């Protein structure tokens, strides 16, 4: 079973509402899509968003890096799976999101080759997950409205974006949300690096003093300020989660060893795909910790892959933040995951179970 053709293109889906964090405002999901085809007619699908401000990936830079990798994959045998992954990772440094898209497509093909859904190839599990949903940072009244709508849709965990304004506004918005939705709804705060360590402690301690049991606070400080992250973890009772601070197994190991955060957020677009996500999950288990699986602004292909990974590693991946497709108006794929409110279900079709992509533009073939 030889790799015969690699197709690259782009999909664009408008978001239901603008996605606003301390780092950026985005109105569309505009992602790179890869289709790797074999001489036996199998198609493996991959996807990567251009999250320049977090991973450094741009659509153009991913396409440019692909010119270095794709020709080296054509004509290779799929049974050479681990050598194929090495080619993906060693042909160019960085470009983690592109590498994730390539790995996702290769894992999709490998599972199809064996006739099993990807989660079974990765170890099995129950193919059903419950995700939270993101609430963008806005004025308090808008945030409360968005939260109440999400709760009415069945979500019982809200990922509330904060930061990029005064710490007092962040406290006031969180209190307003808490009083509107009640204590049965889990509140996950994500400052996206928007606070200084001292501001973070001030916000979290104020909310703790007001009696809020936050599920966790995510990436309160700058990605490269691990000492600041540890300061926040050491001075608050609320679990602290590391997101932008963790890309590699080495990052995760350092944060776990130094106890700089309580929980790690694994995203395939940061880990450069499934293989390092697996290593990170195993590392987390070894340290008797749990982790979250998250996504960038991604649509159905890469989020389906993340869901398969999460199902197979459900013993350590206990927090699910895979709302990307939920935030989009419409879908660009046939097959793959099914979303019903907070529930994500995976089919037992081989691989990712994706049968097609619609509306692909700027198509190029290798
Ligand atoms: Mg985050």
């Amino acid at each position: 079973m030889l790799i015969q053709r690699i197709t690259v293109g782009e999909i664009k889906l408008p978001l239901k509402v603008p996605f606003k964090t301390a780092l950026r405002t985005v109105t569309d999901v505009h992602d790179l899509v890869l289709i790797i085809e074999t001489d036996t007619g199998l198609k493996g699908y991959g996807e990567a968003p251009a999250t320049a401000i977090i991973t450094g990936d741009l659509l153009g830079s991913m396409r440019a890096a692909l010119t270095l990798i794709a020709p080296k994959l054509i004509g290779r045998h799929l049974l050479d799976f681990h050598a194929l992954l090495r080619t993906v990772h060693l042909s160019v440094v960085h470009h983690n999101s592109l590498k994730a898209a390539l790995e996702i497509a290769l894992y999709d093909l490998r599972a199809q080759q064996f006739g099993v859904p990807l989660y079974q190839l990765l170890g099995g599990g129950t193919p059903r997950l419950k995700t939270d949903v993101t609430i963008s940072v806005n004025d308090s009244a808008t945030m409360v409205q968005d939260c109440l709508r999400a709760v009415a849709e069945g979500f019982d965990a809200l990922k509330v974006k904060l930061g990029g304004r005064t710490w007092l506004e962040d406290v006031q918005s969180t209190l307003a949300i808490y009083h509107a939705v009640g204590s049965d709804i889990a509140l996950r705060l994500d400052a996206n690096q928007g606070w200084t360590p001292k501001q973070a402690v001030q916000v979290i301690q104020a909310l703790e003093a007001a009696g809020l049991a936050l599920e966790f606070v995510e990436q309160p400080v700058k990605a490269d300020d691990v000492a600041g992250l540890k300061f926040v973890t050491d001075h608050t009772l609320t679990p602290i989660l590391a997101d932008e601070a963790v890309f590699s197994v080495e990052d995760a190991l350092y944060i776990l060893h130094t106890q700089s955060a309580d929980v790690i957020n694994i995203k395939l677009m940061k880990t450069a795909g499934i293989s390092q996500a697996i290593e990170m999950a195993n590392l987390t288990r070894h340290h008797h910790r749990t982790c979250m699986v998250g996504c960038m602004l991604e649509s159905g292909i890469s989020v389906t892959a993340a869901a398969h990974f999460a199902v197979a590693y459900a013993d350590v991946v206990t927090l699910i933040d895979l709302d990307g497709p939920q935030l989009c108006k419409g879908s660009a794929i046939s097959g793959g995951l099914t979303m019903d409110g907070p529930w994500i279900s995976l089919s037992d079709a081989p691989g990712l179970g994706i049968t097609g992509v619609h509306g692909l533009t700027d198509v190029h073939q290798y």
Side-chain angles (χ1 to χ4, degrees):
M1 194 177 291
L2 304 176
I3 293 176
Q4 193 170 54
R5 188 182 302 122
I6 299 177
T7 303
V8 58
E10 292 169 25
I11 51 166
K12 199 169 181 179
L13 293 168
L15 292 169
K16 290 175 186 164
V17 295
F19 181 87
K20 296 186 198 173
T21 74
L23 290 174
R24 57 188 179 139
T25 297
V26 184
T27 54
D28 300 286
V29 165
H30 188 176
D31 290 0
L32 199 78
V33 169
L34 297 176
I35 306 167
I36 303 182
E37 289 174 75
T38 66
D39 60 348
T40 55
L42 297 183
K43 289 183 179 180
Y45 292 89
E47 176 189 356
T51 318
I53 201 159
I54 297 172
T55 66
D57 293 286
L58 297 156
L59 289 168
S61 64
M62 288 192 284
R63 281 175 170 277
L66 187 63
T67 64
L68 299 175
I69 304 172
K72 294 183 186 172
L73 300 177
I74 305 286
R76 301 267 297 275
H77 205 291
L78 202 60
L79 282 176
D80 252 351
F81 184 69
H82 295 286
L84 291 169
L85 294 188
R86 274 199 299 281
T87 299
V88 167
H89 292 284
L90 298 180
S91 296
V92 57
V93 297
H94 306 308
H95 299 92
N96 283 19
S97 299
L98 172 69
K99 291 173 181 173
L102 285 160
E103 269 213 1
I104 288 166
L106 289 169
Y107 270 95
D108 184 12
L109 284 175
R110 186 165 172 81
Q112 289 180 55
Q113 186 182 17
F114 296 125
V116 294
L118 180 58
Y119 76 88
Q120 285 185 15
L121 181 77
L122 299 179
T126 306
R128 194 164 150 85
L129 302 165
K130 198 177 193 185
T131 181
D132 61 18
V133 67
T134 300
I135 305 297
S136 283
V137 58
N138 277 301
D139 61 82
S140 290
T142 306
M143 292 180 82
V144 166
Q145 258 178 18
D146 290 347
C147 288
L148 290 173
R149 191 180 317 119
V151 170
E153 287 168 7
F155 289 94
D156 59 7
L158 304 174
K159 179 92 171 294
V160 179
K161 296 291 190 179
L162 296 174
R165 53 187 190 170
T166 69
W167 70 272
L168 199 57
E169 285 176 292
D170 283 336
V171 170
Q172 286 166 344
S173 290
T174 309
L175 288 173
I177 290 166
Y178 173 75
H179 289 126
V181 301
S183 56
D184 288 344
I185 302 298
L187 293 185
R188 304 170 170 184
L189 306 187
D190 188 356
N192 285 104
Q193 314 176 50
W195 298 324
T196 66
K198 285 187 178 182
Q199 279 172 341
V201 170
Q202 205 163 16
V203 171
I204 298 165
Q205 285 186 350
L207 294 170
E208 287 171 349
L212 270 68
L214 302 169
E215 192 172 17
F216 61 75
V217 172
E218 181 169 339
Q219 198 61 50
V221 301
K222 293 282 180 224
D224 58 2
D225 186 7
V226 179
L229 188 66
K230 180 165 173 55
F231 178 83
V232 181
T233 303
D234 286 345
H235 290 86
T236 54
L237 299 173
T238 302
I240 303 298
L241 188 146
D243 181 6
E244 289 96 315
V246 183
F247 274 59
S248 64
V249 168
E250 290 79 6
D251 295 337
L253 192 59
Y254 183 77
I255 282 177
L256 290 168
H257 272 177
T258 57
Q259 301 186 347
S260 299
D262 301 292
V263 186
I264 301 288
N265 186 351
I266 297 176
K267 293 178 179 169
L268 300 184
M269 297 302 141
K270 295 187 300 173
T271 58
I274 294 168
S275 56
Q276 191 168 219
I278 289 171
E279 280 187 64
M280 223 179 261
N282 287 332
L283 185 74
T284 308
R285 184 188 294 113
H286 178 72
H287 282 79
H288 307 289
R289 300 287 188 90
T290 56
C291 51
M292 181 157 89
V293 66
C295 60
M296 304 290 186
L297 279 175
E298 299 165 40
S299 76
I301 301 171
S302 48
V303 173
T304 297
H308 277 270
F309 159 72
V311 163
Y313 286 83
D315 62 321
V316 280
V317 182
T318 57
L319 298 162
I320 311 295
D321 176 29
L322 294 178
D323 61 347
Q326 276 279 357
L327 306 178
C328 298
K329 275 186 199 159
S331 165
I333 61 166
S334 304
L337 85 178
T338 307
M339 299 198 82
D340 177 19
W343 292 102
I344 296 173
S345 307
L346 300 173
S347 76
D348 269 346
L352 297 176
I354 292 169
T355 52
V357 181
H358 328 291
L360 214 53
T361 61
D362 299 293
V363 174
H364 178 79
Q365 284 193 330
Y366 292 89

